[in-house]
Amino acid sequence: MAATRFSVLDRSRTREGHDGPEALRDTVRLAQELEKLGYHRFWVSEHHAVPGVAGSAPTVLASAVAAATRTIRVGTGGVMLPNHQPLVVAEQFGVLEALYPGRIDMGLGRSVGFTDGVRKALGRDKHDADDFAAQLTELLGWFRGTSDTGAHARPAEGLTVPPFVLAMGEGAAIAARAGLPMVIGDIRNREKMLRGIDQYRSDFRPSEWSSEPYVVVSGTIAVAATPEEARRLLIPEAWSMAHSRTHGTFPPLPPAERIESPATQMTEKERGFYESGLLGHIHGTEQQVATELDTLIKESGAQEVLVTTSTYDREGLLDSFRRLSRVAGLAAT
């Protein structure tokens, strides 16, 4: 496992009783702690108009993270390319790379806004995701100065910012054809994930960006002193996901003890989503997680694991990352 890189995607989840600005500051502080623990990358996400997520401008937040750290790679997981003009994305990452050379990653996704209102506000519709492959080609062209517009992306042109494709749906095939590293989840659906990885490797075409396939598997991992404590770290996210699927809005994370309280009532449908949301994640003691991770890495052949855990308990989350760093054999600084 020591040969496998371990990285973290933090979605700047808001928590009950804590506002969005605090969530963003928590993200920066977490990056500083994870750098000390030896994690390879720290990525931030893009969500728009979601009550439970403060991270709406990933390149801005990535800049704050990079400024507060020294060695950990910093990037996005990801910038949703259909929401933006490729030239602007190239310029933003060019600025980041110019300010923090050799530390910036460009994780790219093909999702658009989740609701009609958000898509309207962004000036997009759900079919814009169909143009992702062409948008990706245009974006990479700005770094190489191959645009036929006569314009040039400054300061991006001539710089190399490693691109990654978030493999949702057709993303694996697009990453393979473009010859780019791929980030694939969710580890809960292992068979589907492994099929996507096999497709990616078989279809991969070497490019100037990557000479061989590079697979990052992503998902929730929770480590604690006991299996029960590790499971409790999963509860806030499972409840919020169940709420979103039954009410249409993704709320701030609640404390686990409130969800476990007899006073918290759920409909049968909510309870079903909630119980399902607790299944399939890698969680438990250090020994249990080590065994599960060993299986995941052997099955997938992944070069890297991207941990996406969110929970209400910030100290519990940091303790989980400390324990995981020991499991993974990371070199603390």
Side-chain angles (χ1 to χ4, degrees):
M1 199 179 301
T4 306
R5 291 168 167 166
F6 279 76
S7 302
V8 172
L9 166 64
D10 187 74
R11 289 172 291 164
S12 303
R13 294 286 276 111
T14 57
R15 299 177 293 151
E16 288 184 1
H18 303 265
D19 60 16
E22 183 177 356
L24 296 174
R25 292 190 292 270
D26 283 343
T27 290
V28 175
R29 284 192 289 265
L30 180 61
Q32 293 172 317
E33 294 297 329
L34 296 182
E35 179 176 66
K36 297 174 187 175
L37 292 172
Y39 284 88
H40 184 61
R41 312 179 201 276
F42 187 88
W43 283 4
V44 295
S45 63
E46 175 182 340
H47 294 276
H48 297 286
V50 178
V53 182
S56 56
T59 54
V60 177
L61 184 53
S63 183
V65 170
T69 54
R70 296 181 301 104
T71 58
I72 195 169
R73 295 194 65 87
V74 177
T76 57
V79 164
M80 297 300 136
L81 195 51
N83 291 337
H84 311 279
Q85 291 296 330
L87 169 61
V88 175
V89 175
E91 290 172 335
Q92 290 173 345
F93 279 98
V95 170
L96 284 169
E97 176 64 20
L99 292 173
Y100 311 103
R103 291 181 57 206
I104 302 301
D105 300 321
M106 185 168 58
L108 305 162
R110 62 190 295 268
S111 296
V112 292
F114 292 130
T115 67
D116 290 339
V118 171
R119 290 191 290 268
K120 182 178 179 180
L122 291 171
R124 299 292 186 269
D125 66 50
K126 57 186 177 183
H127 300 296
D128 285 321
D130 298 336
D131 298 328
F132 177 70
Q135 294 164 343
L136 181 62
T137 299
E138 179 183 347
L139 171 62
L140 298 180
W142 288 114
F143 287 91
R144 294 296 178 255
T146 58
S147 172
D148 59 7
T149 64
H152 298 270
R154 310 292 188 197
E157 189 172 308
L159 299 180
T160 297
V161 181
F164 295 74
V165 172
L166 276 60
M168 304 297 288
E170 297 180 12
I174 293 171
R177 289 195 298 268
L180 300 180
M182 176 187 72
V183 182
I184 188 166
D186 182 352
I187 59 176
R188 299 174 65 199
N189 192 338
R190 197 67 55 88
E191 290 186 7
K192 182 179 179 181
M193 182 194 73
L194 295 176
R195 287 196 302 270
I197 292 172
D198 288 343
Q199 177 194 359
Y200 166 71
R201 289 200 175 108
S202 65
D203 295 346
F204 185 85
R205 303 174 186 173
S207 71
E208 62 178 303
W209 300 93
S210 186
S211 61
E212 58 187 21
Y214 188 92
V215 174
V216 184
V217 293
S218 67
T220 295
I221 302 173
V223 198
T226 67
E228 293 75 22
E229 289 178 58
R231 183 182 181 277
R232 292 188 84 244
L233 292 174
L234 306 176
I235 287 174
E237 183 80 6
W239 181 87
S240 292
M241 186 63 69
H243 186 278
S244 71
R245 297 188 69 177
T246 51
H247 294 79
T249 59
F250 201 70
L253 295 173
E257 53 267 26
R258 182 172 75 73
I259 303 307
E260 293 178 310
S261 168
T264 298
Q265 300 293 318
M266 298 187 204
T267 65
E268 183 176 348
K269 186 176 183 180
E270 286 174 318
R271 176 66 63 178
F273 284 133
Y274 170 69
E275 296 293 347
S276 175
L278 292 171
L279 300 176
H281 306 292
I282 294 178
H283 71 286
T285 64
E286 291 177 39
Q287 183 175 358
Q288 290 171 322
V289 168
T291 299
E292 290 194 56
L293 278 174
D294 187 60
T295 299
L296 171 66
I297 292 167
K298 285 180 179 177
E299 288 180 347
S300 65
Q303 288 96 333
E304 189 167 339
V305 176
L306 181 68
V307 185
T308 62
T309 310
S310 296
T311 193
Y312 180 91
D313 180 1
R314 298 299 297 185
E315 184 50 47
L317 179 65
L318 182 56
D319 180 64
S320 177
F321 283 126
R322 289 193 191 103
R323 292 174 182 276
L324 179 58
S325 73
R326 292 198 291 266
V327 170
L330 304 185
T333 59

